[in-house]
Amino acid sequence: MAAQAPMADPKPKPPAWDAPPASPPGMETVMPEWIGWAKYFAIGAGILGLIACGIMMMVGRRNRSHLSAEGANGLLWVLGGLSVVTLAAGVVPGIVGA
């Protein structure tokens, strides 16, 4: 009868340091909403940045080649920023879940 009783584990298990992400209580709906707002404003700022770069290129076409070059250079930065914002939702969960 004593052989059937479960033996107590002599070593306690260490805490799980690689636990999956979990939202704090009450933040289940708030954090996705904040992320949605941040993406909305970032994409809006990117659209305004593209418009500003286009205006700089149009104005700088005649006798202001430096302004036109700044607008063309700004296009790369705006498109790079928009790429990071739009890819963040797919990349970050993949890294955290790995």
Side-chain angles (χ1 to χ4, degrees):
M1 195 166 226
Q4 293 178 356
M7 296 284 295
D9 194 8
K11 290 194 283 183
K13 292 185 180 182
W17 294 107
D18 60 345
S23 61
M27 293 293 287
E28 294 88 5
T29 59
V30 175
M31 188 59 117
E33 195 171 307
W34 289 355
I35 292 171
W37 289 348
K39 285 173 35 179
Y40 177 80
F41 288 122
I43 291 173
I47 291 169
L48 291 175
L50 289 174
I51 291 171
C53 289
I55 291 171
M56 288 171 67
M57 290 172 66
M58 288 186 295
V59 169
R61 184 178 177 274
R62 299 255 182 206
N63 300 326
R64 294 180 192 93
S65 60
H66 180 69
L67 182 64
S68 182
E70 287 290 324
N73 189 26
L75 277 175
L76 298 174
W77 287 104
V78 172
L79 291 175
L82 283 171
S83 299
V84 169
V85 168
T86 56
L87 292 174
V91 171
V92 173
I95 293 171
V96 173

